[in-house]
Amino acid sequence: MKHTGQFTSAYHRNYPLTEFARAGENLARADAGGEYSYDCITEVCFEDRAALDAMFAALADPRIGPVIAADEDEFIDKASMRALLCETTSREQP
């Protein structure tokens, strides 16, 4: 967050609760032993595409990119990491 936090509007780490996820095992892709192939879903939100592009530009900076990569090496299995670009929609509760 030190290097990229100024570009984000929200940051959440979501940890699956196995007891609730079991009802949707096919969607969650639990293995036969009930284990999941992930331990966290990280959600990073941006006000607009320009903010996302600015964050990627910062990550490409040769002074910042290697620092972020070294930190990620401490806790992320990059071979199993997946990234999705999503659009959020909302609706008011009745």
Side-chain angles (χ1 to χ4, degrees):
M1 297 311 289
K2 174 182 172 182
H3 298 289
T4 60
Q6 70 271 27
F7 306 113
T8 64
S9 60
Y11 177 91
H12 306 278
R13 292 183 62 95
N14 303 280
Y15 297 93
L17 299 174
T18 304
E19 61 271 21
F20 292 119
R22 285 183 189 270
E25 281 181 333
N26 291 336
L27 294 175
R29 299 186 190 268
D31 66 17
E35 297 295 318
Y36 297 89
S37 61
Y38 56 89
D39 62 354
C40 179
I41 298 170
T42 301
E43 181 180 3
V44 184
C45 302
F46 302 89
E47 286 296 324
D48 53 29
R49 184 60 187 249
L52 172 67
D53 292 343
M55 185 201 68
F56 280 125
L59 293 174
D61 183 313
R63 295 167 295 160
I64 295 173
V67 173
I68 300 294
D71 181 53
E72 290 176 340
D73 287 343
E74 296 296 318
F75 69 97
I76 295 176
D77 176 6
K78 291 182 184 178
S80 67
M81 187 175 117
R82 302 293 179 265
L84 302 169
L85 182 59
C86 301
E87 181 177 16
T88 300
T89 59
S90 302
R91 68 177 174 90
E92 296 294 321
Q93 293 295 325

